[in-house]
Each structure stands twice: as structure tokens, then as C-alpha cells.
Amino acid sequence: MESAAAKQVLKQYFGYDSFRPGQDRLIEAILEGRDVLGVMPTGAGKSLCYQVPALLLPGVTLVISPLISLMQDQVGALRQSGVPAAYLNSALSAAEMGDTLYEARQGGYKLLYVAPERLTAPDFLAFAREAEISMVTVDEAHCISQWGQDFRPSYLKILDFLSLLPRRPLVSAFTATATATVREDVVRALALREPFTLTTGFDRPNLYFAVEHPSSKPQALLRLLAGRRDKSGVIYCATRKTVEDVCDMLCAKGLAATRYHAGLPAEERQQNQDDFLYDLKPVMVATNAFGMGIDKSNVSFVIHYNMPKNMESYYQEAGRAGRDGEPADCILLYSGQDVHTARFLIERSREAAPEEGLDEQTRAALLDREYERLRQMTFYATTTDCLRRFILGYFGEAAPVSCGHCGNCDTTFEEVDATLDAQKILSCVYRLAERGLHFGKIVVSAVLCGSQSEKIEKFGLQSLSTYGIMEEQTAKRVRQLIDTLIDRGCLQSDAERHNTLYLTPAGNALMRGRDTFVIKLPREKPPALKAAEKAGAAVGTADSTLFDLLRDCRARLARQAHVPPYIIFSNAALSDMAARKPITAEEFLEVRGVGEAKADRYGVPFLETIKAYLREKD
């Protein structure tokens, strides 16, 4: 019956016929009287998860919200939908606040939004002790966690407030971006009682992610906007000055753009926000002060002119695109200077608003956490791997090696028939199992690449028939293949046993040649360049044509000797050989990785290859 009532409220007040994934389960849990924690990506409709039950529960629901603009937007939208709602924050005069509290005492509201700073104010506390409060909802709940990206000490007052009430109401908490650590911290900091916890998944399939490294950000931005003249979008900048400069530039080029940052008068911010919401100015240039709680459904692009300080902020801001489910673009314009700017902003924010009640050790740990988040954000901005996989992995969610729908997958991935390589990996896991051994992907890739690590020696893994059979591949590429084999169900990773790998029936069939394995993987630089870099040689000194000839020579000798190519010479040795171009036995011994025994055994064919190349070149 409650489900039917919830659907009726959904249709009546919000105009939807059905709930999005996860909404119905969270609402049902609330209506059953349970505390809840909902983690839903921006645009997934988390507000309805507490607004719908608020209309079905007796009394009033208090919604604790961190920003004035968020409250105003939410309350404005609710009132438009016929829902009696109001807010209490510093934007109201004393008279307006008194009127709102009076109306609340009369039962005039079903939802009352309040800033966390006001919870323990005497007038509000007196009201709260008398009112019938059915639920307290904590929006942007990550703000209560010291390990969240936007910790606010004022959120710590929530637990004190709850303890002062004559009867503890239901407590629901919602956030768009929270790692597992932050989720656990939210449950603890709010003292949630056996909460129903639901993470609906962080993926937004309609969003296209891309990162550009332009030599000129203004030119890159103008190019991106030129193809989006009839679209609405947000351009995020790191500082107020950058907002002003970018907005002035766009206006000078005849683009209908406006601006938003905390340094503008409140009236201008409101006017500019309205111009954007009503498409009078379809392009908004703003700092991160803009957007929280803004539910503009037709935002078709979000461009970050500067890199944010962390992935949580980036994904939340980027997620303001495509709320209508239509395809939308999320593009980051990155430069190295962004890292310095972000570090400066982290340090300045700590100095301007030192955390209350924290000792120096905790403050230092929080600062280190901010820097670590910045490093992860920088990794995202510079990776050549799938961007969606990086984002989802950051939030603890599995994803395929390639999503096929991001800037990196479009430009740096290639489709390959990896059947033979897959069979080598599966055979390695199989051979290890024959010895009663099971390892994770790090060790398995080390075996396949012919590593001489301590663990390889300890377990005698160099005697495996699969040892070194993928020496031509990098360990990173092999691990990517292993990830894909896990995704495809050919391998199983046991999380309770340090992610050790096990062969599945599907993997067994592939290993025995009864299936094929076609995938997309990132393109890699030529092995010669990687080896030269690793060995410390100058990349430009190695002759790539000669390197290829030497590699062919090595492959021929390896086939004759029935050994992996690396057993003869490593890629680093070939790269040094191609750079030095030895033509005598004495010169050959100067090559890194060439000892006397190998020089005696293999010197002649390699020297002949080099001499033939030099003769042909002359």
C-alpha cells in the first residue's frame, strides 16, 4: 500500500510515472521506519528519495542543507510543485525567520530546510523540541566526514541537535560522491541505526568524458563553444579572476555568457543564475560556488577550464550535465599550472577556515588526504587509459577496461585479437594451480613477463613453462588483459584471498582454443622507447628501424632455441644495441645486457644484422 501511495505522490506532485533505479527501495525503507544512507550520482534524483516520504509521513521533515542557493532552489521547485516547504538561513531577516517558524509551528510545512549552523540556535531548538519531526534528512552528507572532499565542522552539530530532541526521528542521509571510507564515516558521525544503505552505481552512460591538454586554453574553449552555439553549458574555473577573464572574453566574442562566484553581490548572483536557468544566457562561467542543487535538465556540456582539487568535486560538477538523460559532454582542459593552483587553494582554505576542535596530528592527516586526492585528480587528467574506468574505479566500482565512449577510448585504444595472449595468461593460472599455487594479477603478470623478482625466486616460478612467454608485453598491458578476462568471466578473482586468480569453465574453454578473445586496449609506445627510457638511454639515440631488425633477429633465434625472446636479449639491450651500432666483438660486449657467453652464442647474427643495415644505409 505504501508503494502505491509513494507512486501516487510521485505522480501527483512531481509528474513522474515511475521511480528511477534505487529510489523506490530507499523510499520504502524510510516508510518502514529505517534510517537510510543513499549514495546516488548527481542527476540520479536523490532529492525525491526524501521528498516523497516527507509528504507521506506525519508532521514535518527537516532537511539539513549546506548552501543557501541549494535551499532556495529546492524550496522554489517544491513550491512550484504544490509542496508546502520553506527554509531558514542567514538570507532571511529576523522578521522573516520569525514568520517562518510561526508557520512551521502551525504545521504549515511538510519540508523545512535549515542550515546546520542554525540547529542549536535557541529559537530553532525551542521549535524543534515542540514540533512533530518525523524525519531529519542530511543532504550532501559527505560534508560531515572529515575525510570527505568538503568537510564542514558545522555538520558536526547535527548529532548534538538530535540528542537534544525529546524523541529521535528517522535519520536519512544522501550524497552524490562518497568513497567507501567516507560512507563508513557518515554512518558513524550521524550514529545511523542499522541503516539501509544503497549505492545505485556511479556510472552515467550518457556522459562523454574527455581531457585535452591545449597549448592555449582560450583558443581551445572558443573552439569547443563554436560547435555548441545552441547548447546550454557550464564552464568551471578555479578562481574568481579566471571567471571574470573568461566571461569577458566570451562576451567580447558575442557569446551569451554570464558569471557566478561568491565575490559578486547577492542580487547579481541571483540575476545571473536566473538568466542561465531561463536560457537567456545559456553559458554560465563559474567557480565551484555555482551548481549545487541547481536542477537544470538541459545542460548539454560542462567544461572545466581548470582542474578541480579532487575527483569527488570533478564528478559532482561534471554530473550537472545530461540530467535529462540526453548525451552530454564533460571536458577537462588541463595544464600543469592547474596543479599549483589547486595546491594553493587547498592551503588557503585550510588557513582561512581551520577545523574546529581538531588536534595538529588530525589536521596534518586531513591535509595529506587533500594532497592525495589532488594526486588522483592529476592522474585522471594525464592517464591514457579509459576515463570512465578511472572514475568508477576511484569510487570503488568495477568497470570494463574500455568503455568505448570517452576521449581516450576514441583516440588511444585499438581493437585487437588477443586470443593468443589470453590463452597464455589462462595457461599460466592453470600451471600455477597444478602446483597448488594461486596468486593475484601482479605475480601472474610478473611470471608471464619474465620478472626476476624475489617472489618469483622464492616459489621457483621461473621453472614454469609459461615463465617469460609474454616478455614482449609490458606488465601493465598484461594486467589490463587479466582485468578484461575477469570482466568476461574467464578468470575469477577471490577478494577474500588477496584477489587470487582462478580459472573458470569459460576460461578453460578459451585456453583450449574453443573461443576467441577480441578486445580494445590502449595503444602503447614502441617497446624500444619504453626500454630506452627505463634503461636511462636517450630515446632519440636509438635507431628505430635497426631496433625492429634486431627484434626480428632475436625472434628468429628464439624460435630456433625454443626459448622466450627475452632469454636471448632484453628490449633494453636491443635498444642500446640500436643506439651504439657495434660492428666488432669488442664493441658488442659494451652493449648493456651483453655478457661473454651471450656474445659468443649470439654475437655473430646480431653483428651481421647491424653491418648489413649500415651497408644498406650507406
Side-chain angles (χ1 to χ4, degrees):
M1 185 176 74
E2 290 173 340
S3 177
K7 286 186 176 180
Q8 182 180 351
V9 166
L10 181 72
K11 180 64 175 176
Q12 178 181 347
Y13 290 97
F14 303 101
Y16 301 121
D17 292 318
S18 60
F19 291 106
R20 295 184 187 181
Q23 287 179 328
D24 51 349
R25 296 173 63 192
L26 286 161
I27 291 170
E28 182 180 354
I30 291 172
L31 294 177
E32 288 174 352
R34 296 187 62 182
D35 287 356
V36 304
L37 171 60
V39 183
M40 309 171 77
T42 301
K46 65 180 185 296
S47 298
L48 286 177
C49 295
Y50 59 84
Q51 291 171 348
V52 169
L55 289 165
L56 292 168
L57 294 171
V60 66
T61 290
L62 298 183
V63 182
I64 300 169
S65 181
L67 290 179
I68 293 173
S69 61
L70 185 152
M71 295 186 200
Q72 292 173 335
D73 187 69
Q74 294 266 2
V75 170
L78 286 168
R79 287 176 174 172
Q80 289 296 318
S81 300
V83 177
Y87 58 80
L88 292 167
N89 57 44
S90 58
L92 298 178
S93 66
E96 290 172 325
M97 199 155 317
D99 291 343
T100 301
L101 279 175
Y102 175 81
E103 186 68 23
R105 283 190 175 93
Q106 308 308 308
Y109 306 119
K110 293 301 292 180
L111 291 110
L112 182 60
Y113 286 71
V114 60
E117 295 82 0
R118 181 145 299 277
L119 290 174
T120 52
D123 57 344
F124 182 78
L125 194 54
F127 154 75
R129 282 173 166 163
E130 299 170 0
E132 184 182 8
I133 301 173
S134 295
M135 180 168 64
V136 171
T137 294
V138 183
D139 202 7
E140 308 299 335
H142 60 273
C143 293
I144 202 171
S145 171
Q146 293 178 0
W147 308 110
Q149 82 275 15
D150 193 22
F151 170 59
R152 303 195 181 201
S154 59
Y155 262 57
L156 297 177
K157 296 180 179 180
I158 297 172
L159 199 54
D160 293 337
F161 169 73
L162 291 172
S163 69
L164 295 172
L165 297 178
R167 181 186 64 84
R168 181 189 183 275
L170 288 175
V171 180
S172 59
F174 295 89
T175 181
T177 50
T179 60
T181 300
V182 173
R183 294 197 291 271
E184 292 169 4
D185 206 26
V186 168
V187 172
R188 180 198 58 77
L190 288 173
L192 298 181
R193 298 176 179 176
E194 299 182 358
F196 173 75
T197 301
L198 180 68
T199 300
T200 59
F202 290 94
D203 193 17
R204 297 276 304 282
N206 63 312
L207 299 185
Y208 179 90
F209 294 94
V211 178
E212 295 188 11
H213 299 189
S215 57
S216 169
K217 285 191 179 184
Q219 291 180 10
L221 179 60
L222 291 171
R223 170 179 52 79
L224 291 169
L225 294 179
R228 296 170 172 82
R229 282 193 171 269
D230 58 340
K231 304 291 185 183
S232 178
V234 182
I235 301 165
Y236 279 108
C237 303
T239 66
R240 298 175 187 180
K241 184 180 185 305
T242 308
V243 167
E244 297 287 349
D245 292 344
V246 170
C247 189
D248 288 346
M249 176 190 70
L250 298 183
C251 292
K253 295 291 184 179
L255 295 170
T258 189
R259 58 184 180 163
Y260 191 105
H261 60 71
L264 296 174
E267 298 80 7
E268 183 178 348
R269 287 202 306 271
Q270 187 62 53
Q271 183 61 55
N272 292 350
Q273 177 175 302
D274 290 344
D275 286 347
F276 175 70
L277 292 176
Y278 292 101
D279 286 328
L280 299 174
K281 300 286 183 65
V283 176
M284 172 63 78
V285 186
T287 61
N288 61 5
F290 175 79
M292 191 177 286
I294 302 299
D295 192 14
K296 190 173 193 291
S297 63
N298 68 331
V299 174
S300 66
F301 65 88
V302 170
I303 298 172
H304 279 82
Y305 195 79
N306 305 108
M307 183 185 73
K309 295 181 292 184
N310 51 65
M311 284 299 302
E312 288 91 340
S313 297
Y314 175 72
Y315 199 48
Q316 188 176 62
E317 291 160 10
R320 287 164 190 149
R323 285 181 177 234
D324 55 3
E326 292 298 306
D329 297 326
C330 305
I331 303 168
L332 168 61
L333 303 180
Y334 171 78
S335 72
Q337 181 60 38
D338 291 339
V339 180
H340 300 295
T341 302
R343 286 185 69 89
F344 169 76
L345 293 173
I346 289 171
E347 291 158 6
R348 190 178 70 174
S349 65
R350 293 292 178 187
E351 293 170 1
E355 294 84 356
E356 301 172 3
L358 300 182
D359 56 45
E360 286 302 319
Q361 185 176 1
T362 304
R363 284 194 180 96
L366 290 172
L367 186 60
D368 287 343
R369 183 60 185 264
E370 291 287 342
Y371 288 145
E372 174 58 28
R373 274 200 282 257
L374 175 58
R375 282 191 287 272
Q376 293 298 322
M377 186 69 235
T378 306
F379 292 157
Y380 171 82
T382 55
T383 185
T384 57
D385 293 344
C386 173
L387 295 174
R388 192 180 308 276
R389 179 180 174 85
F390 188 102
I391 293 170
L392 297 180
Y394 179 85
F395 291 110
E397 191 169 319
V401 172
S402 168
C403 72
H405 187 57
C406 74
N408 284 0
C409 288
D410 283 351
T411 59
T412 62
F413 279 65
E414 59 186 342
E415 189 172 89
V416 296
D417 185 342
T419 303
L420 182 58
D421 284 340
Q423 289 170 335
K424 291 176 180 178
I425 293 169
L426 297 169
S427 296
C428 186
V429 174
Y430 179 78
R431 295 301 179 192
L432 285 167
E434 283 185 325
R435 297 188 180 186
L437 297 173
H438 294 279
F439 295 102
K441 64 182 178 182
I442 301 296
V443 174
V444 171
S445 63
V447 171
L448 290 160
C449 292
S451 170
Q452 298 178 15
S453 67
E454 183 179 338
K455 186 165 282 190
I456 299 292
E457 296 287 340
K458 177 181 177 181
F459 289 94
L461 302 182
Q462 65 271 32
S463 63
L464 281 170
S465 60
T466 53
Y467 178 74
I469 61 173
M470 296 184 73
E471 190 269 347
E472 292 289 331
Q473 304 276 12
T474 64
K476 177 182 177 182
R477 174 61 68 98
V478 175
R479 290 195 295 271
Q480 289 170 336
L481 283 164
I482 291 172
D483 285 338
T484 308
L485 285 166
I486 294 171
D487 292 340
R488 299 273 185 93
C490 297
L491 285 173
Q492 183 177 354
S493 178
D494 189 342
E496 295 182 358
R497 298 183 180 179
H498 307 290
N499 294 315
T500 49
L501 298 173
Y502 295 83
L503 199 64
T504 67
N508 195 294
L510 175 58
M511 181 182 71
R512 299 181 186 283
R514 295 198 287 269
D515 203 352
T516 58
F517 192 69
V518 178
I519 60 171
K520 293 184 81 174
L521 283 176
R523 295 188 181 96
E524 294 191 317
K525 290 188 287 185
L529 299 184
K530 287 195 169 186
E533 291 165 357
K534 189 172 182 180
V539 174
T541 61
D543 188 316
S544 59
T545 303
L546 178 55
F547 177 89
D548 290 339
L549 293 172
L550 294 170
R551 188 168 55 180
D552 290 342
C553 176
R554 181 182 64 177
R556 184 175 66 255
L557 294 171
R559 286 193 296 271
Q560 293 171 358
H562 303 289
V563 296
Y566 90 94
I567 293 293
I568 298 176
F569 288 122
S570 68
N571 284 342
L574 296 190
S575 182
D576 195 37
M577 219 179 285
R580 293 176 182 272
K581 300 179 179 65
I583 56 174
T584 67
E586 292 76 16
E587 291 175 346
F588 193 68
L589 282 168
E590 294 296 320
V591 174
R592 285 191 296 273
V594 175
E596 290 184 1
K598 286 191 176 182
D600 290 342
R601 186 175 301 139
Y602 300 118
V604 172
F606 281 100
L607 289 172
E608 288 178 351
T609 299
I610 294 169
K611 290 174 185 177
Y613 170 75
L614 293 174
R615 285 196 301 270
E616 189 171 323
K617 191 175 180 181
D618 291 338

